Amino acid sequence: DQQVKQNSPSLSVQEGRISILNCDYTNSMFDYFLWYKKYPAEGPTFLISISSIKDKNEDGRFTVFLNKSAKHLSLHIVPSQPGDSAVYFCAASETGANSKLTFGKGITLSVRP
Amino acid sequence: EAGVAQSPRYKIIEKRQSVAFWCNPISGHATLYWYQQILGQGPKLLIQFQNNGVVDDSQLPKDRFSAERLKGVDSTLKIQPAKLEDSAVYLCASSLAQESDEQYFGPGTRLTVT
């Protein structure tokens, strides 16, 4: 049972345009959400996070939006750059669960020059 | 600051053989995690240590997988005997504290079981 779902396996965008990566979750106990970025042959690296008490968190070109009623979050990258080409994982955890992360399957983002 | 180190980076074994992976977390990080990432899937937590004690091993197949962190620093993950479905990347991660939100990942060990 996939508790964190990234239904689109891939996304291709033009350099300079916006990239929107979507994530849905089913477990209503999740209250902390993270995005990780992964390059080939490397481990995932933390990108940005959001607590369930917020609906938006911004860090430079990266913004995460959370819609709790829809159990949906999205990562916006503006403007997209070729170096952003990677696999992006959405992850979720619940407070008190020893920070255990549940990951989605990932989305492969390709940014075309 | 040195990152999480893992070795070996690649391993090919035949089914029914045994294999061991090693992880050295970031200095001072109390919490250590082992994840299994099967091709096309996200990482799945196998076991979590807080210092040298196990916090969560609910998804560890204990009939064939074992892990230890004897001195609360380095950790080893062992598979004995390996099955074809164990082919995956095994990721080690560490974090400062148990409730810390940021986990730092190593590069992983890619295991192929033939």
Side-chain angles (χ1 to χ4, degrees):
Chain A
D1 177 35
Q2 278 268 302
Q3 297 187 65
V4 177
K5 300 178 183 180
Q6 296 178 262
N7 293 319
S8 300
S10 62
L11 175 68
S12 180
V13 300
Q14 192 75 37
E15 180 179 6
R17 307 294 289 268
I18 184 171
S19 294
I20 300 177
L21 290 73
N22 294 308
C23 177
D24 297 291
Y25 61 96
T26 59
N27 187 341
S28 58
M29 298 300 292
F30 287 147
D31 57 5
Y32 198 78
F33 304 89
L34 308 90
W35 285 92
Y36 279 81
K37 176 180 179 179
K38 184 181 183 304
Y39 292 117
E42 295 183 12
T45 56
F46 171 75
L47 190 58
I48 192 169
S49 63
I50 187 166
S51 164
S52 61
I53 62 173
K54 294 185 175 182
D55 55 17
K56 176 183 174 181
N57 189 26
E58 192 172 352
D59 183 2
R61 297 185 298 113
F62 303 92
T63 303
V64 56
F65 297 90
L66 175 62
N67 182 334
K68 290 187 293 293
S69 61
K71 294 191 178 71
H72 176 83
L73 62 155
S74 61
L75 174 68
H76 292 210
I77 306 173
V78 182
S80 301
Q81 299 174 354
D84 296 328
S85 297
V87 178
Y88 289 79
F89 290 100
C90 173
S93 68
E94 57 178 287
T95 304
N98 301 316
S99 66
K100 175 179 176 178
L101 293 179
T102 300
F103 283 85
K105 291 184 177 182
I107 299 172
T108 300
L109 173 66
S110 298
V111 180
R112 307 184 304 273
Chain B
E1 177 182 80
V4 176
Q6 290 188 248
S7 69
R9 293 295 310 275
Y10 305 91
K11 189 74 178 179
I12 300 174
I13 62 172
E14 294 182 353
K15 59 183 179 184
R16 291 188 288 274
Q17 286 186 322
S18 62
V19 64
F21 313 126
W22 173 82
C23 172
N24 182 240
I26 293 173
S27 177
H29 280 197
T31 309
L32 185 147
Y33 313 79
W34 283 102
Y35 289 86
Q36 179 192 57
Q37 186 182 4
I38 293 172
L39 187 64
Q41 304 287 323
K44 182 185 82 171
L45 180 69
L46 291 176
I47 188 167
Q48 177 183 346
F49 292 94
Q50 175 75 6
N51 296 309
N52 61 349
V54 175
V55 173
D56 184 346
D57 63 357
S58 57
Q59 298 191 93
L60 186 74
K62 298 179 187 63
D63 57 335
R64 297 183 301 106
F65 286 65
S66 64
E68 59 183 13
R69 194 185 184 200
L70 291 177
K71 296 182 179 178
V73 181
D74 293 7
S75 177
T76 56
L77 176 70
K78 297 179 181 178
I79 308 175
Q80 183 179 14
K83 293 185 175 182
L84 295 176
E85 59 260 37
D86 298 332
S87 294
V89 175
Y90 290 85
L91 294 161
C92 179
S94 68
S95 65
L96 264 175
Q98 188 164 317
E99 295 299 326
S100 171
D101 59 326
E102 187 166 352
Q103 296 181 23
Y104 295 82
F105 285 81
T109 297
R110 179 176 295 279
L111 174 68
T112 302
V113 183
T114 62

